[in-house]
Amino acid sequence: MINQIRADFYRQRRSIGMLILLIATMGLGIVTTWRKTPMGPTIGGEELLAIGRQGWTVRTGLQSGVASASSLIYFYIAVFVIVIGAEYSQHTLKNTLTSGISRIQFILGKYATILIDIVLLTLCYFITILITGLALGRNPGVDWGILCKDVAVMTLSVGFCISVIISLGIILLIITKSLIIPAVVIVIWPMLISLVEYAFKWNWLKYFDFPGFGEQIALNTLKADQAWIYAGVSAGVVLVAIFGSALIISKQEI
């Protein structure tokens, strides 16, 4: 599994697609900070605008970046395609699975690679927001220790929550053997959950709004008892996706 992860990162270093993705991610951070407005479908836009009226600081910019995190999904779909989608589009899956790696190691390795990629890209995103805010002459708002803690917490929470949606894409890819269906589901997931919850009044669906989980952490609107439910659902979805994908692929003809 370790060799597979190394091979994936080696391939990514030689891919111009990852460089373009990094530039796009940093560009989103710059635009969000410059405009002082969350971008994309968010649950906390109004709260952030209210905070901003009191004085837009570097910390407010970081919070706005979390509220814009749902837009990162549109970019990170490229990570899904490069890391595991290429195995299907280039028909190299059989070679990988016959090289001595087990099915569960294959899926775990792919998810680990995607998670690391997303966390690193998200870290670059928030660091870009922080540097842009300082370059624009904005007040930090809090001391540097809190800012560094904010960047760490936001990076891990946003990165993990997006990876949960990507894990659903993995199992859909294994089932359908098509990039189109999982790509569409990954992209529309946050909006789809919100629409279904609103239409049918299924309040429990909010726990499947994974980007919304990260937003609530940033805005300090999440109660402790709900945080455990969100975390449990997210971890459960990842485990089901990983082990379910390994089970399904073991039954398929490669």
Side-chain angles (χ1 to χ4, degrees):
M1 185 177 77
I2 300 299
N3 289 335
Q4 173 189 284
I5 294 174
R6 288 176 178 171
D8 281 332
F9 283 126
Y10 175 78
R11 186 172 67 250
Q12 289 176 35
R13 289 198 301 269
R14 300 170 63 89
S15 169
I16 191 173
M18 291 300 294
L19 177 59
I20 294 174
L21 179 58
L22 175 60
I23 294 172
T25 300
M26 295 173 67
L28 177 64
I30 293 172
V31 172
T32 299
T33 308
W34 186 285
R35 292 181 56 192
K36 298 184 180 180
T37 306
M39 301 179 66
T42 68
I43 65 168
E46 292 301 323
E47 289 88 341
L48 282 173
L49 289 175
I51 294 173
R53 294 189 192 102
Q54 301 173 8
W56 202 276
T57 64
V58 173
R59 193 186 196 196
T60 310
L62 291 172
Q63 293 174 322
S64 179
V66 176
S68 302
S70 54
S71 298
L72 291 174
I73 297 175
Y74 304 135
F75 297 163
Y76 292 171
I77 188 68
V79 176
F80 169 76
V81 173
I82 292 172
V83 174
I84 190 169
E87 298 279 359
Y88 282 84
S89 62
Q90 298 175 7
H91 305 288
T92 59
L93 180 61
K94 185 175 181 179
N95 295 336
T96 303
L97 292 179
T98 56
S99 63
I101 188 172
S102 68
R103 270 54 172 176
I104 187 63
Q105 288 176 328
F106 170 74
I107 299 298
L108 276 173
K110 291 298 183 182
Y111 176 74
T113 302
I114 290 172
L115 177 60
I116 294 170
D117 280 338
I118 290 176
V119 168
L120 290 177
L121 285 167
T122 306
L123 177 61
C124 292
Y125 170 71
F126 283 116
I127 289 177
T128 299
I129 291 174
L130 189 151
I131 294 175
T132 302
L134 293 174
L136 292 172
R138 293 174 187 165
N139 190 294
V142 291
D143 63 53
W144 278 98
I146 295 178
L147 275 182
C148 291
K149 179 182 178 181
D150 283 347
V151 169
V153 171
M154 291 174 180
T155 296
L156 293 175
S157 60
V158 169
F160 173 70
C161 288
I162 293 179
S163 78
V164 177
I165 302 178
I166 300 292
S167 73
L168 293 174
I170 293 176
I171 193 169
L172 287 174
L173 175 64
I174 300 299
I175 293 173
T176 64
K177 298 183 180 181
S178 168
L179 277 172
I180 297 176
I181 295 176
V184 170
V185 171
I186 290 171
V187 169
I188 70 171
W189 182 267
M191 188 176 299
L192 178 64
I193 290 297
S194 297
L195 289 175
V196 174
E197 180 186 357
Y198 177 78
F200 295 96
K201 308 301 180 183
W202 292 343
N203 191 52
W204 55 269
L205 273 180
K206 66 182 180 182
Y207 298 115
F208 291 87
D209 179 11
F210 306 116
F213 180 24
E215 291 179 28
Q216 292 183 75
I217 292 176
L219 296 174
N220 293 319
T221 60
L222 187 63
K223 297 180 180 179
D225 57 339
Q226 290 187 330
W228 286 108
I229 299 176
Y230 272 107
V233 171
S234 299
V237 168
V238 171
L239 290 175
V240 169
I242 290 175
F243 288 99
S245 296
L247 178 62
I248 293 170
I249 202 172
S250 67
K251 305 294 183 180
Q252 292 178 336
E253 289 289 339
I254 306 300

